[in-house]
Amino acid sequence: MKLKVMAFGIARDILGSAEVDFDLPENSKVGDLKEHLLKQFPAFAGLRHLAVAVNCEYAEDEVIFNAMDEVVIIPPVSGG
Amino acid sequence: MKLKVMAFGIARDILGSAEVDFDLPENSKVGDLKEHLLKQFPAFAGLRHLAVAVNCEYAEDEVIFNAMDEVVIIPPVSGG
Amino acid sequence: MRHNIQLFDQPLDPALARQQVEDPSCGGVVLFVGNVRNATQGKEVLRLEFESYRPMALREMEKIAIESLERFRIHKMSIHHRLGTLQIGESAVIIAVSAPHRKAAFKACAYAIDTLKETVPIWKKEIFSDGEVWVAATP
Amino acid sequence: MRHNIQLFDQPLDPALARQQVEDPSCGGVVLFVGNVRNATQGKEVLRLEFESYRPMALREMEKIAIESLERFRIHKMSIHHRLGTLQIGESAVIIAVSAPHRKAAFKACAYAIDTLKETVPIWKKEIFSDGEVWVAATP
């Protein structure tokens, strides 16, 4: 499946782009995306933690992606 | 000794005046003034508590008055 | 001066209290604003009248600020109290605290308003349509 | 509506946040104002840049307000966050809480800013004279 992934903050810097398309096997999960990211962009391993939002909600590793999902890499937040 | 005593809030209402002169024995203490007040104005007994300030500081019952002291009856405060 | 203590006969300005404590070295400012409520124990309040033994009130407020600066790791504190006749919704007291760390600012601000209500010689009278009462004077 | 959640590209106005929560039934308003500090760990900061995943940030801030309204006996909460480039001393966030009792307002305000810093997808970059860093991104 093609997955369009957005990224903010240091995650965008690591990806080198605010939006990247990934080609993942059908029924991939949030955890699979994280593994893929860590393999392709080892700098992600240097972050305090890494979260993924699906359709504007934090998503557990077990969540399965659907075709139209809005997927966003959420590096450690620092608002306030 | 003549003691000029100021009063605020409900204490002024009970005394009927913002300032009253009391004639107390020499070397009277804060506690003596309180006793005198309670005898002469029984309504003071109805307050939650009664404090006396001498020269802008809360004064314990044992404090002895001096001639030029600024003495103020402090009924329960309710600022804020 | 790391504290500002004032009694006002005119409306309080929260921006003034805040600006007095703000500092480029401080990330957090906590403000407490105490306003006049329209009812007390279900009874409608028309307005409030505040009076004070002013010189002692200023001293007691200053003690609170100095004690707060000693006890908590805060940078600055302002305490402004209004006197006279206040309408519903007007502000009676504003306490502003700046600190490098916000937890200290929250603690100091709560300590200051708690203590002010215990020690500062200011009295308020609630005016109802059918009478008036000195707040908290009697049990 | 008992909460107001907003992201601003222009300077925040503490008076707006305060007025949104004030109510004649509430005696106490607590405000937290988070300002940009001029230094971090002793190093001079020139300015900050905030960015956000806006739709999710608004949802997460709304969750904080709704959770605060449920957990604490407060009346209203406003959360305003600034985005874009901020100069030293400018306000990045303002949280305003009104409550019949001030202890609840203090607790809710502290809970809201603590949680915002944990969950809301907003990121800040500190700009130094010799580089820049995403705050708290790495251990």
Side-chain angles (χ1 to χ4, degrees), chain A residues 6-13 46-49 53-58 70-80, chain D residues 50-56 59-60 63 81 92-93 113 116-124 134-139:
Chain A
M6 291 194 290
F8 288 90
I10 198 169
R12 188 188 54 234
D13 290 356
L47 303 190
R48 275 202 301 120
H49 52 77
V54 177
N55 302 328
C56 285
E57 294 284 347
Y58 285 104
E70 181 166 305
V71 180
V72 178
I73 305 173
I74 308 281
V77 303
S78 51
Chain D
F50 284 82
E51 66 176 57
S52 174
Y53 175 27
R54 288 178 185 239
M56 183 175 171
R59 282 171 77 145
E60 289 293 327
K63 277 186 200 170
H81 206 296
V93 61
I113 182 61
L116 182 148
K117 284 168 177 277
E118 296 287 322
T119 65
V120 177
I122 294 175
W123 299 272
K124 64 174 166 239
W134 288 105
V135 175
T138 55

Side-chain angles (χ1 to χ4, degrees), chain B residues 10 43-51 74-78, chain C residues 117-118 123 134-139:
Chain B
I10 198 170
F44 278 118
L47 302 190
R48 275 202 301 122
H49 52 77
L50 188 65
I74 308 281
V77 304
S78 51
Chain C
K117 285 169 177 277
E118 295 287 320
W123 299 272
W134 288 104
V135 175
T138 55

Side-chain angles (χ1 to χ4, degrees), chain D residues 78-93:
Chain D
S78 282
I79 308 179
H80 294 178
H81 206 296
R82 173 87 181 273
L83 298 175
T85 300
L86 273 75
Q87 306 302 322
I88 306 305
E90 285 197 287
S91 299
V93 61

